[in-house]
Amino acid sequence: MHVKHWDKCLSLIKKELSPQSYKTWFKPIKPVKYKNQILILEVPNKFFYEWIEEHYLNILNNSILKVLGISGKIEYIISKEKEEIDEKKKIIELENQPPKITRFNNLNESFNFNSFVGGKCNSVAKAAGERICENPGKNPFNPLMVYGGVGLGKTHLIQSIGNRISNQTDLSVYYVTSEKFANQFIESLKENKLKDFTTFYSNVDCLIVDDIQFLSGKEKTQEVFFNIFNQLNLNRKQIILSADKSPVELNGLEQRLVSRFKSGLTVELEIPDFKTRSDILKHKISVDNINISNEIIDYIALQVDTNIRELEGVLISLLAHSTITKSEIDLKLTKSIIGKIVKDNNREINIKYIQEIVSKYFNISIEDMKDKARKKEIVIARQVAMYFSKDFTNNSLKSIGFHFGGRDHSTVIHAVQSVNDMIDTDSIFKKNIHEINRRITNN
Ligand code: ADP
Ligand code: MG
């Protein structure tokens, strides 16, 4: 019923919008319920419905009026809230009938192997994940421990494994972040339901715990997790874990826990190389049917070398900008967006980077800059690079001196003073400094 209503609204809305806007803003909305002439729509996040209310309210209201009549209304629910409600419901259902367990999973279906692009950075982890699915629990990769920095695909990969197991078998798969696990544990203590809590977890066939670094320092939670872990392990249930660091680097975790984590396969997700970054972008635009040239894809892949979440972020912003301004995604827009959302936050401005920019600007080699040469142009370039190193990095004077051929800290102080003097007295020099500053910060 609600689906039909919403489909009718959509067909009216579609006529009013460009295909791109329609796809970006209306396709992701899901009708959840229709009751008392109120149609409840699920949107991905708060920003989403604010945007719709702000930009498409008339179009939306007109369609509601036509389909639901004058007293028809809509309400929004945010996906995440819904997920949490659903999950609570599931736990309650299970708690009411322990230890019988029904098949269920609480995974995000969009995290699957089809959408997980392979590359050198994740080949081992991905292959291990696929192997696990062939025989969950009874394979050499139990537990599987995936680690790596933010935005490198840990959650995506471990959920892909969970989804595949859930689709191919009738095993129950449960995904939880370690933070949530800790909260559930505390909650169960408060409500005198510790037994239900442990029974629940001991009955899961495949347990996926994301971001276990948050268990650090939480001794009681670690203890209960240790017991659940052992119980599941004993029963040859599959356990999959993720962390932002390798097990040895995880501080604040009990040793016995760490050694358990390492008893299966520990594998790192690395920063993707250029080819993989470009493959990921190409995959995403082909799925979403977005029109972007290869030149731009390669430019993004070249510039955004931090993590995959950021790659996606650039793509989403580009899309949003081009829909809002109804303009094409060209190199100029791409550059300005990357400059805004990536460079400023993440491009680490270090001494080496400054030396590169300054040496290019003055057309002087970095070796000369570090060497003893006393030629005026070289001295100036060297001083300017020192000046910016002082300005943009947290290196001490001593360390800056060290990076310029082992010079003394007083040389750096002198360089900073000279540059300041020249800025005050020489307007052309001042312009040069501005330009170099702009290049360093990429503004
Ligand atoms: P992490 O958990 O390591 O912080 P996520 O799994 O949340 O990272 O990944 C960040 C974003 O990048 C997600 O939107 C995810 O879908 C995407 N992503 C990560 N790895 C890949 C990949 N190999 N192929 C396609 N998308 C990926
Ligand atoms: Mg994650």
Side-chain angles (χ1 to χ4, degrees), residues 180-189 194 197 220-221 224:
K180 192 166 196 167
F181 179 87
N183 290 337
Q184 289 173 350
F185 168 57
I186 292 165
E187 204 64 24
S188 81
L189 285 181
L194 181 60
F197 174 80
K220 278 271 175 307
T221 313
V224 68

Side-chain angles (χ1 to χ4, degrees), residues 113 116 119-132 141 144-147 153-154 157-158 161 265-270:
F113 278 113
F116 190 80
K120 233 169 67 191
C121 55
N122 59 31
S123 60
V124 180
K126 182 165 182 261
E130 286 168 333
R131 273 286 301 282
I132 286 174
F141 310 140
L144 175 69
M145 160 81 164
V146 179
Y147 74 93
K154 299 183 294 294
L157 177 65
I158 60 183
I161 303 171
L265 176 74
T266 301
V267 59
E268 181 178 6
L269 285 181
E270 292 167 33

Side-chain angles (χ1 to χ4, degrees), residues 229-285:
F229 185 104
N230 287 339
Q231 177 89 26
L232 291 176
N233 204 241
L234 206 65
N235 293 328
R236 304 188 71 188
K237 307 290 189 188
Q238 183 69 45
I239 299 171
I240 301 165
L241 308 164
S242 90
D244 67 347
K245 292 184 209 67
S246 76
V248 265
E249 290 170 301
L250 282 173
N251 296 321
L253 282 190
E254 272 188 61
Q255 220 31 56
R256 58 177 187 165
L257 210 52
V258 173
S259 72
R260 283 295 145 112
F261 292 165
K262 289 193 295 190
S263 62
L265 176 74
T266 301
V267 59
E268 181 178 6
L269 285 181
E270 292 167 33
I271 295 177
D273 56 20
F274 171 74
K275 165 139 194 329
T276 314
R277 298 200 296 273
S278 154
D279 286 348
I280 289 173
L281 289 170
K282 281 176 189 151
H283 176 84
K284 292 201 190 294
I285 64 168

Side-chain angles (χ1 to χ4, degrees), residues 215-232:
L215 288 181
S216 83
K218 302 192 173 93
E219 282 159 31
K220 278 271 175 307
T221 313
Q222 285 182 36
E223 194 180 315
V224 68
F225 184 63
F226 184 72
N227 291 332
I228 289 169
F229 185 104
N230 287 339
Q231 177 89 26
L232 291 176

Side-chain angles (χ1 to χ4, degrees), residues 162-212:
N163 271 314
R164 184 173 282 183
I165 294 177
S166 183
N167 290 335
Q168 290 182 348
T169 67
D170 51 12
L171 300 176
S172 62
V173 178
Y174 191 71
Y175 167 90
V176 69
T177 62
S178 78
E179 224 173 352
K180 192 166 196 167
F181 179 87
N183 290 337
Q184 289 173 350
F185 168 57
I186 292 165
E187 204 64 24
S188 81
L189 285 181
K190 271 197 216 147
E191 294 177 10
N192 243 334
K193 285 188 172 166
L194 181 60
K195 181 110 198 310
D196 290 348
F197 174 80
T198 48
T199 309
F200 171 78
Y201 274 99
S202 311
N203 280 297
V204 172
D205 295 313
C206 170
L207 177 62
I208 306 176
V209 187
D210 206 352
D211 289 319
I212 56 162

